Every structure is written in C-alpha cells, then in structure tokens.
C-alpha cells in the first residue's frame, strides 16, 4: 500500500509477487514515498 504523506492513510494498493518487492521498495525510497508491505491473504484450497 502506498501511504499518504500527511495522515498515513492508504492511497492505493498493489499486489505483486515476491520478486517485485525489492524493485517497488527501491522506487519508493528514491522519491521518499512511504509504503506498507504485508503478505497477501491466500485461500487454502
């Protein structure tokens, strides 16, 4: 989730695979963007 700079509320949400997490973190860090990373919920089927 990308977080709002003012109040920390979620601005948008993206689901990615583990291989993409590093790239997203690097992009966010380069512009000073705050993000929240959590595992996606999966169904046990």
């Amino acid at each position: 989730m990308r977080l709002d700079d003012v109040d920390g509320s979620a601005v948008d949400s993206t689901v990615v695979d583990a291989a993409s997490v590093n790239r997203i973190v690097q992009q966010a860090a380069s512009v000073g963007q705050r993000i929240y990373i959590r595992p996606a919920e999966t169904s046990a089927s």
Side-chain angles (χ1 to χ4, degrees):
M1 284 185 256
R2 187 167 49 98
L3 304 177
D4 182 77
D5 288 336
V6 176
D7 64 7
S9 63
V11 176
D12 66 16
S13 178
T14 304
V15 176
V16 298
D17 62 355
S20 301
V21 172
N22 186 49
R23 177 181 50 84
I24 291 171
V25 168
Q26 293 298 321
Q27 287 174 342
S30 72
V31 296
Q33 193 174 60
R34 296 189 310 162
I35 57 175
Y36 172 67
I37 300 171
R38 65 185 173 109
E41 295 179 20
T42 58
S43 61
S45 51

